[in-house]
Amino acid sequence: GQNQLGNVWINQGYTFLGYSYLSELAQIPEYRLISSVMATEMTRKWIKLQATTDVDGELDDAEKKARSEEKGKKIKAIEQRMTDLKVRDAFRVAAEHDNAFGRGHIFLDVGKPGTDTPAAELKMPIGSGHNSKGKVGTKTPLKAVRNVEPMWAYPQDYNSTDPLRADWYRPKTWYVMATPVSASRFLTLVGREVPDILKPAYAFGGLAMSQMAKPYVDNWLRTRQAVCDLIESFSVSGIYTNMASVLQSGAGEGDDSVLDRLELFNLIRTNSGSMALDKD
């Protein structure tokens, strides 16, 4: 009874399927297209950077124009840096991972140019952007953004005792193949969160689109194969024989002869094939 109930939960997507199984589903076109199409559309228009206008009324037109040109140069430099780092592609892949596995990660590689960030430094937070000057600057710039599949990361150090705090069920640290990384360096995308009680079971990911679509895709694959089988054998075929001798107990060599004919017929039978029969 428990095995049958467990199979129902898995087949209907009522329980976490596991990253290994979800990776296998990602090989099937029906599941892969769901993830890739949604991720492509989410990042198709991308973003547009804008600067705030000056509110100081004492600036004359020349100063306003100079400030506007300076802001325009900064925006172009930021846009060029985003292009060099392939930020758009990173968010597209993260969205694909979220659809396929339930969460996606983007690692912010911050440190001295030409060197790897020490493991001890990876545990230290870099702020939220507004207060990151102490960790991100000209000496320690943003060198790269990299995607990490959720299979290689698991959460650690999260608040599970006080729901009134802002960090309730929000991991502060992610272990990436046993290397602790601060959550501020490891951007996590979860598009469809599960209830709090299920978050540990889902490794603090969300509900994968592949898991949600599984019952429908399974029905479609089963129907597609049934239609193929129906077209392949839409007519009933048979072989003329003396059924009295076949059904008679201990008929002898006639049984093997008829069974061999039936086996040969089933092996070569198709709608476009032919079968030669004795006219008598």
Side-chain angles (χ1 to χ4, degrees), residues 240-242 261 277-280:
Y240 285 105
T241 186
N242 185 349
R261 293 177 64 193
L277 300 175
D278 190 284
K279 65 179 181 178
D280 294 330

Side-chain angles (χ1 to χ4, degrees), residues 50-72:
Q50 291 180 332
T52 57
T53 57
D54 291 311
V55 295
D56 191 352
E58 297 180 358
L59 297 177
D60 57 25
D61 293 341
E63 290 177 334
K64 289 181 179 180
K65 183 178 179 180
R67 289 197 177 188
S68 178
E69 292 178 351
E70 182 64 23
K71 290 180 179 179

